């Protein structure tokens, strides 16, 4: 997969991940089962989105050796 396509896919996954995790956080806060420190746009949401984006960006080792 070309680097541009991989980066574009990772950016899209990151954005969608932040949106989805913020929506999930808002739902959990409204249900009043969340800890007091949990907030939207926090470390948990961005960290989770980064993990998802990294998984999407991962390439095969043979591609790295050719570049």
């Amino acid at each position: 997969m070309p680097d541009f396509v991989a980066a574009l896919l990772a950016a899209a996954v990151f954005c969608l991940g932040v949106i989805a995790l913020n929506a999930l956080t808002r739902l959990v806060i409204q249900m009043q089962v969340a800890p007091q420190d949990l907030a939207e746009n926090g470390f948990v949401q961005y960290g989770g989105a980064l993990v998802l984006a990294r998984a999407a960006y991962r390439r095969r080792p043979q591609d790295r050796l050719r570049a």
Side-chain angles (χ1 to χ4, degrees):
M1 178 179 339
D3 286 339
F4 174 75
V5 175
L8 188 63
L9 178 65
V13 168
F14 176 78
C15 292
L16 291 175
V18 169
I19 292 169
L21 290 172
N22 279 341
L24 182 64
T25 301
R26 183 176 291 182
L27 180 68
V28 171
I29 289 172
Q30 287 178 355
M31 292 173 48
Q32 297 180 351
V33 294
Q36 294 286 25
D37 294 336
L38 187 64
E40 294 179 44
N41 293 324
F43 179 74
V44 174
Q45 289 78 22
Y46 284 111
L50 278 174
V51 168
L52 291 173
R54 175 64 180 131
Y57 188 74
R58 188 172 299 188
R59 294 177 294 171
R60 294 181 307 163
Q62 293 86 6
D63 291 341
R64 292 185 191 157
L65 294 176
R66 291 181 194 164

